Amino acid sequence: MGMKEHGPKLSTAALVLTALFCGGITVLLFHVFDACNLINFPPVAALAKSQTVEQCRASINAGIKGAPGGTSEAAEYVLHVMMIATRVEGAFFLTATFGALFTLTLPFGIGRVAVHAWTALTFFTIALVDIDNAGTFRPAFTPQKVAKEFIPFAAIEIVLGLMHGASAYLASQEDSNPGKKKK
């Protein structure tokens, strides 16, 4: 049995694992609703001990008020945009869960190529961000207590990216006309 015959199984496994990974993050954090829900992220929870969402919001407001040299308005804007970006990330994980589940209803082949290619590139990009969060590219910007916590996530994201990349390639090799006999 050649690699091509494993395409549908690899595709299904990649989509199921994506739904589980992204769905798990969504359920764990619910940061699509409030960026301060990130206190539930295991590395943060371990450091924040029993910090509440309200305390997180108070910390952000204190950071805005404590901005240097009268730049609190700029700090407020930057932090607001960062909070939006965090919620957008939460929306991505939520939609990726449902997108992976929907894609499972599509037949293997050309219909799944774009989904797998996009998902592979997305996971590789997220892995680069997590590798950077681990202090690889900019160690001065990474708290050392948190740095090592991002490596397992990057490893999972790289594996998922490879699975989706291989699935995209194998799906693209499928005959787009299933009724046509191959020579």
Side-chain angles (χ1 to χ4, degrees):
M1 184 182 260
M3 185 60 184
K4 193 171 180 180
E5 288 79 22
H6 292 293
K9 290 179 185 174
L10 179 62
S11 172
T12 299
L15 291 166
V16 167
L17 290 174
T18 295
L20 290 172
F21 179 72
C22 293
I25 288 174
T26 299
V27 169
L28 177 67
L29 301 180
F30 280 110
H31 60 305
V32 67
F33 301 112
D34 188 338
C36 275
N37 285 340
L38 285 176
I39 62 168
N40 298 319
F41 185 55
V44 176
L47 294 172
K49 305 290 184 243
S50 60
Q51 187 177 40
T52 65
V53 170
E54 290 75 24
Q55 289 170 323
C56 171
R57 291 184 191 131
S59 296
I60 291 168
N61 286 331
I64 291 169
K65 290 176 184 165
T71 60
S72 62
E73 187 176 346
E76 181 177 18
Y77 180 77
V78 168
L79 285 170
H80 182 71
V81 170
M82 291 170 82
M83 299 292 271
I84 291 170
T86 299
R87 293 183 65 208
V88 167
E89 177 195 69
F92 161 76
F93 282 115
L94 179 64
T95 58
T97 301
F98 290 112
L101 293 173
F102 171 75
T103 305
L104 284 168
T105 68
L106 301 175
F108 181 73
I110 213 72
R112 290 189 180 185
V113 172
V115 172
H116 282 303
W118 178 83
T119 307
L121 292 172
T122 300
F123 274 121
F124 288 139
T125 304
I126 293 170
L128 283 174
V129 170
D130 280 344
I131 289 168
D132 184 40
N133 286 337
T136 307
F137 303 120
R138 301 176 303 158
F141 292 101
T142 306
Q144 291 306 307
K145 290 181 180 179
V146 177
K148 66 182 185 305
E149 304 292 340
F150 287 95
I151 297 300
F153 289 97
I156 291 168
E157 294 151 1
I158 290 168
V159 168
L160 286 170
L162 290 170
M163 289 176 75
H164 281 287
S167 295
Y169 172 76
L170 293 170
S172 73
Q173 301 303 304
E174 279 291 300
D175 188 354
S176 60
N177 184 356
K180 183 179 170 184
K181 297 203 179 215
K182 296 181 182 181
K183 294 184 182 179

